Amino acid sequence: MTVFSRSFVRKRVISLATTTLVTTASLACARDPMSSYHVPGAMPIQYASERPDYHEEAPFVAENDAAMNRMMADAMVKPTGDADRDFAAIMMSLNRGAVDMARAEIKYGHNERLRQLAQQIVAARQQEVVTTQQAVSHWFAAAIDPSPNH
């Protein structure tokens, strides 16, 4: 006399296994929501605030964070329908952010090669900002003087 058929038991075992896997995965993600972004075999990130020498790096971190936040906020350009105008607005904010971050490296960095790279970034990105501003200057002139001659 069989109480449950094999099919019934098999379905219940699969259901139990699935429920267990989903629950385990949910608990793991709840414990560490960023775990899905970790690369297997990579060293875990040690955040600056966890390091004993953080107080020495705090000004650099603060300036870098401010530059990054300003850059990302400014790069959130509402599309105008003009790809050139949108590209220029985004690139100007990204280039200014790169300049600000490179200046923080020049100010606080200790590695001479990285500081030289940062100086090159400042020079190149400032030139890109100037070039972009020159390329779009006609939009600003048209906004000030909307006569058909522009």
Side-chain angles (χ1 to χ4, degrees):
M1 178 169 153
T2 310
V3 177
F4 299 109
S5 69
R6 283 186 174 183
S7 174
F8 177 82
V9 171
R10 187 179 321 123
K11 288 178 184 176
R12 296 302 168 250
V13 167
I14 291 171
S15 175
L16 178 63
T18 303
T19 302
T20 302
L21 286 172
V22 168
T23 302
T24 304
S26 297
L27 290 174
C29 286
R31 179 178 291 165
D32 184 9
M34 296 304 288
S35 65
S36 62
Y37 297 107
H38 293 182
V39 176
M43 295 296 293
I45 296 172
Q46 181 180 17
Y47 293 98
S49 60
E50 298 170 356
R51 294 185 13 221
D53 62 346
Y54 173 69
H55 66 281
E56 295 172 12
E57 192 177 16
F60 168 78
V61 171
E63 284 186 35
N64 202 36
D65 284 349
M68 186 68 116
N69 290 336
R70 189 172 43 252
M71 177 180 68
M72 296 310 291
D74 291 347
M76 298 303 294
V77 173
K78 183 177 179 182
T80 64
D82 183 337
D84 293 331
R85 184 176 289 201
D86 297 344
F87 173 77
I90 292 167
M91 290 310 298
M92 280 193 286
S93 68
L94 295 177
N95 285 327
R96 287 182 185 133
V99 166
D100 292 343
M101 287 183 279
R103 284 187 175 143
E105 170 61 23
I106 293 166
K107 188 174 178 180
Y108 299 106
H110 302 291
N111 183 307
E112 192 56 35
R113 289 181 71 188
L114 291 177
R115 292 178 77 235
Q116 288 174 358
L117 174 63
Q119 289 172 343
Q120 293 170 358
I121 289 170
V122 169
R125 296 298 177 98
Q126 283 180 326
Q127 183 56 45
E128 290 175 23
V129 168
V130 169
T131 301
T132 305
Q133 288 172 332
Q134 290 171 345
V136 299
S137 63
H138 69 279
W139 291 318
F140 301 116
I144 294 168
D145 181 15
S147 66
N149 295 339
H150 283 78

